Amino acid sequence: MSQPKILIVDDNRVNVDLLKAQLKSFPYTIDCAYDGEEALAKIHQTMPDLVLLDLMMPKISGYEVCRAIKQDKETQFIPVIIITALSELDDKIKAIELGADDFLVKPFNKLELITRIKSLLNLKALHDDVDRSEN
């Protein structure tokens, strides 16, 4: 089985580099996008297994990216973890209503992030197995 693909989406390169550094010791293929338009293009090109998504970005916000992922039949089962500095309950509720699978506030705990990634990747793998067996 190939390595799970994770797409990191954040307009702040320091945040992207931090996430990449925290994931480098795990067997993941990491790709990055620096705005919402680039993220949506990469999602359709590479079909990642999970998206780590910032909310506050130029061009297309993380909210809109999340909505687009979850409304598209081809991408709706890709797990999305929101990672943002926005900590208001309204922000969290809006993201979850748009289909986000999880929500972490910066600064986050590395162990919590890794645990949530592993859990959602396991669910995605199970979904993919069921999907393959039905086709």
Side-chain angles (χ1 to χ4, degrees), residues 72-90:
D72 186 324
K73 294 259 185 260
E74 288 188 23
T75 60
Q76 66 184 354
F77 294 109
I78 297 173
V80 176
I81 300 177
I82 302 294
I83 300 180
T84 183
L86 299 175
S87 60
E88 295 298 317
L89 183 59
D90 289 348

Side-chain angles (χ1 to χ4, degrees), residues 8 19 25 27 36-37 51 59 61 63 65 70 72 76 88-89 98 114 119 123 134-135:
I8 299 170
L19 283 166
S25 62
E37 285 180 359
V51 177
K59 298 182 183 176
S61 74
Y63 291 117
V65 172
K70 295 304 181 172
D72 186 324
Q76 66 184 354
E88 295 298 317
L89 183 59
L98 291 172
I114 298 302
S119 174
L123 283 173
E134 290 177 353
N135 293 328

Side-chain angles (χ1 to χ4, degrees), residues 7-128:
L7 178 64
I8 299 170
V9 185
D10 196 316
D11 60 315
N12 183 325
R13 291 183 184 273
V14 172
N15 291 342
V16 171
D17 290 345
L18 175 68
L19 283 166
K20 282 170 61 176
Q22 292 183 337
L23 297 175
K24 74 177 178 196
S25 62
F26 295 89
Y28 305 137
T29 300
I30 305 296
D31 197 4
C32 307
Y34 298 96
D35 64 54
E37 285 180 359
E38 183 183 7
L40 290 173
K42 285 194 174 191
I43 287 164
H44 287 283
Q45 289 166 3
T46 66
M47 295 300 284
D49 295 297
L50 184 133
V51 177
L52 300 176
L53 180 63
D54 184 33
L55 289 177
M56 298 182 297
M57 293 185 297
K59 298 182 183 176
I60 301 175
S61 74
Y63 291 117
E64 294 305 313
V65 172
C66 184
R67 175 185 286 137
I69 292 168
K70 295 304 181 172
Q71 287 182 345
D72 186 324
K73 294 259 185 260
E74 288 188 23
T75 60
Q76 66 184 354
F77 294 109
I78 297 173
V80 176
I81 300 177
I82 302 294
I83 300 180
T84 183
L86 299 175
S87 60
E88 295 298 317
L89 183 59
D90 289 348
D91 298 313
K92 186 174 190 174
I93 289 170
K94 182 177 178 182
I96 290 171
E97 284 178 343
L98 291 172
D101 297 278
D102 214 332
F103 191 100
L104 291 173
V105 177
K106 298 172 190 171
F108 53 84
N109 177 284
K110 178 185 176 183
L111 182 58
E112 183 179 13
L113 172 68
I114 298 302
T115 302
R116 291 176 185 219
I117 287 172
K118 286 180 180 177
S119 174
L120 286 169
L121 285 173
N122 284 337
L123 283 173
K124 173 76 166 51
L126 288 171
H127 174 270
D128 290 351

